[in-house]
Amino acid sequence: MALFEPKCPVRPDERAWIEESMAWLAAEFGRGVLDRAPVLPTAEFFPGPYRGSAEDIRGVIALICGYLDVPPDRLTIEIEPDDGEQAMVDGLRLNHSSRSAAGHYRRENGRPVIAVAQRQAARPVALVATVAHELGHVRLLDEQRISRDRRDHEPLTDLLTVHFGLGVLTANSAFNFERSERGWSYSRLGYLSERMLGYALACYAHRRGETRPDWARHLTTNPRAYLKQGLRYLARNPPSA
């Protein structure tokens, strides 16, 4: 009965875009990437001590370069110092920040430049998600696979991190809500909602032939719930591509 049919966690237009884009990424970068183990927030994938120094940030960037098949010597890396932004909002009870200041990509003197804000070091998972997104620009824009004028190039770049196995970290960084001595604060990182990332991860798992992926336990509550809902939906409604 239709009443008991599994529901997709995203809108029909979002579902179509995610499924079509995941198929495009597989065609563009190959399905072999899907055979790799997904990158998880564990010592297996991020070995060694981490103290948040500029050297540690560069080490994280080198690791993510490996996971996204980007030669590190191809890049110029910039670590941007703290800009005192927090001092301007210390008196507020509710603070909000977006991903726009977390990192950025540009070309300079014929080389891709990846810049990351030093303050991202305090949140290692968000740092990884930021770096993965900026390196995604290298794979898409610097390699001229898409145009910067493409309307969906930012969300597509987030989706690329899912295809390359870093979706758990991207999803876990999409929304953060916490309490500090200054009151409650929340931050959003990335261009896809938790629902869209959960469904994208469901498509990723479906393409890998997984119905109950072990790595789902590393997801935070909302993305994990949307992943499970998406997998139930895909079991009855597999993508056409």
Side-chain angles (χ1 to χ4, degrees):
M1 296 177 61
L3 180 64
F4 299 103
E5 284 289 317
K7 295 182 178 179
C8 186
V10 295
R11 302 192 313 260
D13 60 323
E14 294 172 334
R15 175 184 59 78
W17 178 82
I18 290 169
E19 292 179 3
E20 291 169 4
S21 297
M22 292 293 286
W24 181 85
L25 289 165
E28 191 73 14
F29 294 101
R31 294 184 57 89
V33 174
L34 298 173
D35 295 330
R36 304 176 187 176
V39 179
L40 303 174
T42 66
E44 176 184 358
F45 296 95
F46 299 95
Y50 176 85
R51 299 180 181 84
S53 66
E55 182 179 354
D56 289 336
I57 294 176
R58 291 182 181 275
V60 168
I61 293 173
L63 284 172
I64 305 304
C65 279
Y67 297 139
L68 290 183
D69 299 331
V70 176
D73 59 2
R74 175 179 162 190
L75 306 173
T76 297
I77 305 299
E78 295 180 352
I79 311 298
E80 298 181 338
D82 292 338
D83 58 8
E85 177 186 9
Q86 188 58 53
M88 294 187 296
V89 294
D90 276 346
L92 300 179
R93 295 184 61 83
L94 183 65
N95 307 320
H96 172 258
S97 62
S98 70
R99 79 162 329 279
S100 59
H104 64 262
Y105 153 89
R106 69 181 190 274
R107 280 189 64 83
E108 191 172 282
N109 299 322
R111 288 173 60 87
V113 178
I114 301 298
V116 180
Q118 175 72 50
R119 67 177 177 275
Q120 284 295 95
R123 296 176 55 201
V125 174
L127 171 64
V128 170
T130 297
V131 171
H133 179 91
E134 303 309 331
L135 290 176
H137 284 313
V138 175
R139 298 306 317 265
L140 291 173
L141 296 175
D142 199 66
E143 296 176 9
Q144 299 182 349
R145 297 176 187 271
I146 66 170
S147 166
R148 185 181 286 274
D149 296 331
R150 178 167 166 162
R151 188 167 56 109
D152 66 344
H153 91 264
E154 290 287 9
L156 181 66
T157 305
D158 271 352
L159 205 60
L160 176 143
T161 71
V162 177
H163 176 72
F164 274 86
L166 288 104
V168 168
L169 294 121
T170 298
N172 285 354
S173 298
F175 185 84
N176 185 60
F177 190 68
E178 60 187 359
R179 186 174 186 177
S180 70
E181 60 185 15
R182 290 179 291 271
W184 289 100
S185 66
Y186 72 96
S187 61
R188 297 188 63 178
L189 189 70
Y191 297 87
L192 299 177
S193 67
E194 289 181 307
R195 286 180 179 271
M196 294 181 74
L197 284 164
Y199 188 65
L201 283 165
C203 290
Y204 169 77
H206 183 80
R207 286 181 172 274
R208 285 166 51 87
E210 298 173 304
T211 56
R212 294 183 178 180
D214 290 340
W215 45 263
R217 71 181 189 274
H218 293 279
L219 285 166
T220 53
T221 302
N222 288 347
R224 184 169 65 248
Y226 298 136
L227 161 69
K228 292 179 178 179
Q229 184 181 352
L231 283 171
R232 290 193 296 270
Y233 176 82
L234 287 168
R236 296 283 190 92
N237 306 274
S240 57

